[in-house]
Amino acid sequence: MTDISRRESVLAFDDRMATVDFRISHTAHITVDSEVCRSCTTRACLVACPAKLFVTTNDGGILFNYEQCFECGTCYAVCNNEGAITWNYPEGGHGVVFRHG
Amino acid sequence: MPDFEVVVVGAGPAGSIAALSLARLGHSVCLLERGPFPGSKNVYGGVIYGRILDELIPHWWEHAPVQRWITRRGTMLLTDHQSLCIDYRSTAWAQAPYNGATAYRPDFDKWLADEAVKAGATLVSSTTATGLVRTNRGLVGGVKTDREGDLMANVVIACDGVNSFLAKEAGLYPNFSKDHLTLGVKEVLALPRQEIEARFGIRSGTNEGADLEIVGGTQGIAGGGFVYTNLDTISIGAVLSLGGLSASKVRPEEVIAGLKAHPSLAPLVDGAELKEYSAHLIPEGGFDAMPEVVGDGLLVAGDAAGLCLAAGLWLEGVNYAIGSGKCAADAVHEAIAKGNFSKAGLVSYKDRLEATFVLRNHRKTRKAAHLLLSDRLQNRYPQIACDLLEQLYTVEDPLPKRGALTIGRALWKGSGLRIRHALRDGRDALKIYG
């Protein structure tokens, strides 16, 4: 990334996430029941997740990417549909590692 | 035979002080941390108030990894084009024992955990507590972990943060809800040290610092913002109610971008380079949203116990974590002496919290969350205050000046707000701050 792009007031989201250190686990610490998501009308996780990890799929389900997760818990706290999101902490020593938190 | 007398889950400020205190009282303590090092999972929004450390770690300010000592404290009200700031500065806060400090939590929490280790606690990092172990009498008697098997203890202290899976598993947190939570998102931006001092009006070449807390500017989502200085970075962020955020179309990082673009904040952060983006939940529900903090063989402290004070003028958390960690340690010490680790044996924890600033302040400010996140406090009153000053400061010769009361009355009428709501808000504010 160039200095100039970093200095822009609104960064490309990937560049933003590239400033965060992750020790990625091989196993996902979150699972999403896409069947439950299909009936969801709010889809609050799409807007609220600060790492923008949730995307809609072509068939109306929800796809989740666990690798760049802040482990904040916002997704399951805003999830309206009981049981759609199962969330745990990643295995010890893995996941986000803040330097300036 | 348990592995330790006490297992403390989470090496944040609550856990490290609980472990430090118990180790000094001669007990065997395991301090469990899921991150690769203490503090690696932690984020905060501004200032550590260290008075509670004075007795625990004498002259802590000579050793703690502090970025800057706060000598300038502001509360800003923002509308889309206006800002009104109560801006307090004091050189008294530039000297020991200081008032507040900024720090990077990975540095600060690691330092505090090292103090616990020096006192004799056993720190086990990179290990996640995956659940509670119950004894055959039904008490919590340890934790399951993903790397060390089961760790057995007489008592477990859950300092496992805002999401506290352990408190939930024990059934102590039935009212856990998004309505009591806010999402904090933050950017750490690099600028040369002298540039930061010039922009924030800090005496050049010192390690004095500024902390500005913001009401408004969060694009219709109830919450607030903050800007504070580190040595060679600025931290700027937003705190957003989860209810408001999930009903919004605006993403968290867009709210930060909006704050950074506000005419009163843009000059502070212009041209600074993003070093790290971060996010964390905050338990802002206050006294009435707290979980049960005592179970059979289990105590809950820090963020896990909902102990963040989000009361507008007062925004504190680390000190309550430390205070509750100390109370938990003292209660466990007493329970060990009595040999009673049931809820009845541990109940002095609640009394200790009640007797100290930890619960006294939370009780006093119990109406704060409701009041401060209301539309009136978030949007309407700041708008009236800004408009009042705008009209007072605007010179409209040849028209004669109108007095503050005349302007205020007209603004109030135009706002459509009801006197009885304002009176109720005033009464609540008096209870909190009076």
Side-chain angles (χ1 to χ4, degrees):
Chain A
M1 188 188 322
T2 66
D3 275 358
I4 292 161
S5 69
R6 281 210 171 182
R7 278 161 208 275
E8 282 175 8
S9 59
V10 181
L11 289 166
F13 201 83
D14 288 351
D15 293 346
R16 168 181 297 281
M17 293 308 293
T19 65
V20 192
D21 291 346
F22 294 96
R23 299 185 190 176
I24 297 169
S25 171
H26 293 300
T27 47
H29 61 283
I30 175 158
T31 55
V32 178
D33 186 340
S34 212
E35 287 309 309
V36 180
C37 297
R38 269 179 239 283
S39 62
C40 178
T41 52
T42 65
R43 310 222 149 183
C45 57
L46 299 182
V47 171
C49 169
K52 211 191 253 186
L53 295 179
F54 295 84
V55 290
T56 43
T57 57
N58 289 336
D59 61 348
I62 295 257
L63 196 65
F64 174 73
N65 163 7
Y66 73 91
E67 285 96 340
Q68 295 195 311
C69 175
F70 286 128
E71 301 153 37
C72 66
T74 298
C75 57
Y76 86 89
V78 301
C79 181
N80 267 353
N81 287 324
E82 192 72 29
I85 294 178
T86 323
W87 197 83
N88 275 299
Y89 289 134
E91 60 180 306
H94 291 76
V96 70
V97 181
F98 291 117
R99 290 169 283 119
H100 302 294
Chain B
M1 192 60 194
D3 301 298
F4 295 90
E5 286 178 279
V6 188
V7 167
V8 179
V9 180
S16 287
I17 288 299
L20 174 144
S21 305
L22 282 162
R24 282 188 188 161
L25 291 165
H27 301 296
S28 65
V29 195
C30 176
L31 179 58
L32 205 57
E33 168 58 44
R34 69 186 183 90
F37 56 87
S40 55
K41 302 290 183 184
N42 297 350
V43 182
Y44 82 137
V47 184
I48 295 167
Y49 297 95
R51 204 66 320 108
I52 187 64
L53 278 177
D54 291 355
E55 277 189 26
L56 290 161
I57 304 173
H59 296 276
W60 59 272
W61 53 81
E62 291 167 10
H63 313 288
V66 159
Q67 288 288 316
R68 286 182 185 271
W69 300 104
I70 296 300
T71 56
R72 179 183 174 198
R73 175 71 163 79
T75 301
M76 295 178 92
L77 307 179
L78 298 187
T79 71
D80 55 357
H81 71 288
Q82 298 157 303
S83 93
L84 164 59
C85 187
I86 299 166
D87 189 351
Y88 179 74
R89 304 179 195 215
S90 170
T91 50
W93 290 345
Q95 287 122 39
Y98 305 102
N99 180 45
T102 59
Y104 296 136
R105 291 291 300 280
D107 298 345
F108 185 85
D109 292 10
K110 190 167 177 300
W111 166 75
L112 213 50
D114 285 345
E115 292 293 313
V117 170
K118 272 194 234 165
T122 304
L123 174 66
V124 178
S125 294
S126 296
T127 305
T128 302
T130 54
L132 297 167
V133 182
R134 297 271 179 181
T135 65
N136 48 20
R137 288 172 49 226
L139 273 67
V140 170
V143 291
K144 300 171 193 160
T145 77
D146 62 347
R147 283 203 340 153
E148 302 286 334
D150 292 353
L151 282 174
M152 302 305 288
N154 291 323
V155 183
V156 172
I157 307 179
C159 307
D160 53 340
V162 56
N163 286 299
S164 190
F165 289 112
L166 296 185
K168 285 181 206 157
E169 182 185 331
L172 300 180
Y173 219 152
N175 59 340
F176 185 86
S177 152
K178 77 172 193 301
D179 300 331
H180 305 144
L181 297 168
T182 56
L183 172 67
V185 280
K186 180 166 88 172
E187 290 183 4
V188 174
L189 306 165
L191 275 179
R193 204 179 150 161
Q194 299 89 328
E195 184 67 22
I196 290 174
E197 287 156 2
R199 290 186 186 193
F200 282 84
I202 297 164
R203 291 193 288 188
S204 161
T206 67
N207 56 357
E208 297 173 17
D211 169 44
L212 308 176
E213 303 287 346
I214 300 161
V215 179
T218 46
Q219 309 199 26
I221 303 168
F226 58 85
V227 192
Y228 61 88
T229 56
N230 305 301
L231 212 50
D232 55 7
T233 62
I234 297 166
S235 298
I236 182 166
V239 174
L240 306 168
S241 72
L242 281 194
L245 178 63
S246 51
S248 165
K249 296 272 178 276
V250 186
R251 288 193 38 80
E253 76 280 2
E254 293 169 344
V255 178
I256 303 183
L259 286 172
K260 288 167 75 180
H262 191 277
S264 67
L265 296 172
L268 299 176
V269 298
D270 191 34
E273 178 195 351
L274 181 65
K275 299 298 276 187
E276 189 176 63
Y277 172 54
S278 55
H280 211 281
L281 283 184
I282 312 168
E284 289 206 359
F287 188 82
D288 296 308
M290 281 178 65
E292 290 291 322
V293 293
V294 184
D296 285 317
L298 180 70
L299 296 181
V300 187
D303 269 11
L307 289 170
C308 260
L309 191 81
L313 292 178
W314 301 315
L315 298 159
E316 306 162 22
V318 172
N319 47 339
Y320 292 91
I322 291 171
S324 61
K326 176 72 169 72
C327 289
D330 291 342
V332 169
H333 179 59
E334 189 184 312
I336 291 172
K338 289 187 297 191
N340 183 354
F341 307 112
S342 70
K343 191 173 174 177
L346 290 166
V347 78
S348 86
Y349 173 48
K350 191 75 192 281
D351 303 332
R352 290 169 195 276
L353 291 176
E354 292 272 8
T356 63
F357 74 104
V358 177
L359 275 190
R360 289 179 68 161
N361 290 355
H362 272 84
R363 190 184 286 281
K364 181 172 168 58
T365 58
R366 68 196 297 172
K367 286 178 180 292
H370 183 71
L371 176 67
L372 293 163
L373 294 179
S374 70
D375 175 50
R376 290 189 296 282
L377 260 288
Q378 287 276 315
N379 303 305
R380 314 294 294 279
Y381 298 153
Q383 186 67 59
I384 290 173
C386 285
D387 288 348
L388 177 70
L389 282 177
E390 182 164 297
Q391 293 186 32
L392 274 177
Y393 287 147
T394 304
V395 175
E396 295 189 283
D397 304 343
L399 294 175
K401 285 200 187 298
R402 291 182 303 156
L405 281 179
T406 311
I407 298 170
R409 220 175 278 133
L411 287 171
W412 183 263
K413 265 193 162 171
S415 74
L417 288 170
R418 302 274 176 93
I419 288 285
R420 63 185 158 90
H421 290 149
L423 287 175
R424 198 173 60 204
D425 292 341
R427 196 189 57 205
D428 288 349
L430 262 180
K431 273 190 193 147
I432 300 166
Y433 305 112

